[in-house]
Amino acid sequence: MKKLSRSLENYIEAVFIVSKEYGKCRVTDIQKKLKVSKPSIVNALSILKKKKLLFQEKYGLIYLTESGLKTAKKIYKKHTTILKFLENIFDLRAVKAEKIACDMEHIIDKKIQNKMEKILKNFNPEVKKILYGEKDETFAIKRG
Amino acid sequence: MKKLSRSLENYIEAVFIVSKEYGKCRVTDIQKKLKVSKPSIVNALSILKKKKLLFQEKYGLIYLTESGLKTAKKIYKKHTTILKFLENIFDLRAVKAEKIACDMEHIIDKKIQNKMEKILKNFNPEVKKILYGEKDETFAIKRG
DNA sequence: ATTCTATGTTAGAATAAACTAACTTTTATA
DNA sequence: TATAAAAGTTAGTTTATTCTAACATAGAAT
C-alpha cells in the first residue's frame, strides 16, 4: 500500500485517538481534534474509505478497518515516542511538544523511533546531566 | 515577514548552498541540487523575488539579498545541526540523515536547535554508551 | 556571422488539501 | 408529531506546488 500523505496520516490518527478516548468517532469529534472544516474531513475520509482503511455508517459513526487500525497504531506509537523524547530530552512543554511531534511523526522512520525508545528507556536526570555536559563523566570513562 | 513555506525554504537554502559551493548560482544548478523541473524553480524564484529575498540577472545569475542571506543562513545552520545530530546520536548514514534533515529543518525550532548543539558539543563515544544504557553509570550517580 | 546547444521562461494542466455556502439527514425537544 | 438544532454532505472555489510542452535567449563552436 502506497504511503499516506502527511495530511491523511493526521486524519487516520485522529480517528484512532478519538475512538480510543470516546469509544466512538464522528466527523464532529475529528473537527474538534484537528480544527479543520467538516468538508475537509469528509474529503479525507472518502479517500481513506477508498483505501479500505476505515468505513462509516451512513451519516454516522466512523470505524477503522483492521488494516486502518494497524496503520493508525503505528503512527500513534511513533507520535507518543517523539512526544516523550521532546519533553524529556529537549525539555519541551507538553503543548509545544505535541505540536512538533505532530509534524515530526510523518518524517521520522522506524530506525530513529527505535533509537529514541532505547534512549528513553534508559533516561534519567543523571544521564541528562552527562548528556548536556553538566557533569564530568571522565572518571566514568577511566573506570568504564 | 511571514514564515516561508517548506518548499520555499528549500529553494532559498539551495540558492545559498549552491552559491557557497560554486561561487555563483543559476537555475540549472538548483535543478541539479533539488531534482525538480525548471519551471518549478522559476516559479519559486519569482515568489522569493517578490519577497525581496533574492534577485536575478535577466536569464542569468541568482543572488540572495541581505535579508535573503540572513534567512538562508538560519535554515542552513539548522540543517547542519540536525544532520550532525542524526548522524552522531542516531547513527544515521550520511545520505539518509541528509534526507531526513531536509524535512526536519522546517519543523524544528530555535530552542530545539540550541539543545541539539549543546548535546553535540559534549558528545563522545562514552556519553553515547551511557545514553544508550550500554554502560552502567550508577556509580557515577553515587559519586556525582 | 550563423547555427547549435545550454539555459531560462511562459502557458497551461494536474494534484492535494484546504475553505465557504448551501443543502440533506438525523436527533432532540417542545 | 412537528419543528428546531446538530451533524453530515455536496458543490464549487482557492491556494500551493508540481509538471510537460512549447518557446525565447545567450553563449559557444564552426
Side-chain angles (χ1 to χ4, degrees):
Chain A
M1 187 71 87
K2 210 180 139 248
K3 211 177 156 296
L4 293 178
S5 70
R6 200 169 291 238
S7 169
L8 290 177
E9 281 197 358
N10 277 332
Y11 283 108
I12 198 171
E13 189 187 18
V15 172
F16 175 76
I17 294 172
V18 166
S19 301
K20 198 164 70 76
E21 286 179 0
Y22 295 94
K24 61 196 162 82
C25 177
R26 287 167 308 165
V27 170
T28 304
D29 300 320
I30 301 174
Q31 186 172 30
K32 279 171 199 154
K33 187 101 202 149
L34 296 185
K35 285 159 195 170
V36 291
S37 72
K38 281 190 284 185
S40 298
I41 297 164
V42 169
N43 175 59
L45 292 179
S46 83
I47 296 167
L48 295 171
K49 281 172 200 169
K50 275 181 208 150
K51 292 179 185 290
K52 307 278 186 201
L53 294 170
L54 55 78
F55 56 95
Q56 182 179 19
E57 293 167 352
K58 257 190 190 153
Y59 289 90
L61 297 181
I62 299 151
Y63 302 94
L64 293 174
T65 63
E66 201 172 332
S67 109
L69 191 64
K70 211 172 135 189
T71 303
K73 273 184 179 168
K74 267 187 213 160
I75 298 163
Y76 181 69
K77 183 72 205 308
K78 198 182 284 185
H79 178 97
T80 56
T81 296
I82 296 167
L83 188 67
K84 278 183 216 155
F85 196 87
L86 293 174
E87 286 180 344
N88 291 305
I89 281 67
F90 293 138
D91 282 316
L92 259 56
R93 295 201 188 171
V95 178
K96 194 176 181 184
E98 182 61 48
K99 275 181 200 159
I100 294 177
C102 232
D103 286 331
M104 279 182 65
E105 73 195 21
H106 313 293
I107 290 171
I108 295 314
D109 70 356
K110 189 68 187 160
K111 186 175 174 189
I112 299 180
Q113 185 187 340
N114 289 342
K115 296 269 182 178
M116 284 182 170
E117 280 162 10
K118 206 168 175 190
I119 290 171
L120 284 168
K121 211 177 195 172
N122 179 58
F123 206 65
N124 64 44
E126 293 303 321
V127 173
K128 189 168 176 177
K129 276 185 194 165
I130 293 166
L131 186 62
Y132 281 103
E134 284 155 15
K135 172 173 237 165
D136 190 352
E137 85 287 2
T138 46
F139 62 88
I141 293 172
K142 281 167 194 156
R143 288 155 195 256
Chain B
M1 186 70 88
K2 211 180 138 247
K3 211 176 155 296
L4 292 178
S5 71
R6 200 169 291 238
S7 170
L8 291 177
E9 281 196 358
N10 277 332
Y11 283 108
I12 198 171
E13 189 187 18
V15 172
F16 175 76
I17 294 172
V18 166
S19 301
K20 199 164 69 79
E21 287 179 359
Y22 295 94
K24 60 194 163 83
C25 177
R26 288 167 306 163
V27 170
T28 304
D29 301 319
I30 302 174
Q31 185 172 31
K32 278 170 199 156
K33 187 102 202 147
L34 296 185
K35 284 159 194 170
V36 291
S37 72
K38 280 189 287 186
S40 299
I41 297 163
V42 170
N43 174 59
L45 292 178
S46 83
I47 297 167
L48 295 171
K49 281 171 201 169
K50 275 182 207 149
K51 292 179 186 290
K52 308 276 185 202
L53 294 170
L54 56 79
F55 56 95
Q56 182 180 18
E57 293 167 353
K58 258 192 187 148
Y59 289 89
L61 297 181
I62 298 151
Y63 302 95
L64 294 174
T65 63
E66 201 173 333
S67 111
L69 191 65
K70 211 172 137 188
T71 303
K73 273 184 178 169
K74 267 188 211 159
I75 298 164
Y76 181 69
K77 182 74 204 304
K78 197 183 284 185
H79 178 98
T80 56
T81 296
I82 295 168
L83 188 68
K84 278 183 218 156
F85 196 87
L86 293 174
E87 286 180 344
N88 290 304
I89 281 69
F90 293 138
D91 283 315
L92 259 56
R93 295 201 188 169
V95 178
K96 193 176 182 185
E98 182 59 49
K99 275 182 200 158
I100 295 178
C102 231
D103 286 330
M104 279 183 66
E105 73 194 19
H106 313 293
I107 290 170
I108 295 314
D109 70 356
K110 189 67 187 162
K111 187 177 172 188
I112 299 180
Q113 186 187 339
N114 289 341
K115 297 269 182 178
M116 284 181 170
E117 280 163 10
K118 206 168 173 190
I119 290 170
L120 284 167
K121 211 176 195 173
N122 180 57
F123 207 65
N124 64 45
E126 293 304 321
V127 173
K128 186 168 177 180
K129 275 184 193 166
I130 293 166
L131 186 63
Y132 281 103
E134 284 155 15
K135 172 173 238 164
D136 191 353
E137 87 287 3
T138 47
F139 63 88
I141 293 171
K142 280 167 195 155
R143 287 154 196 258

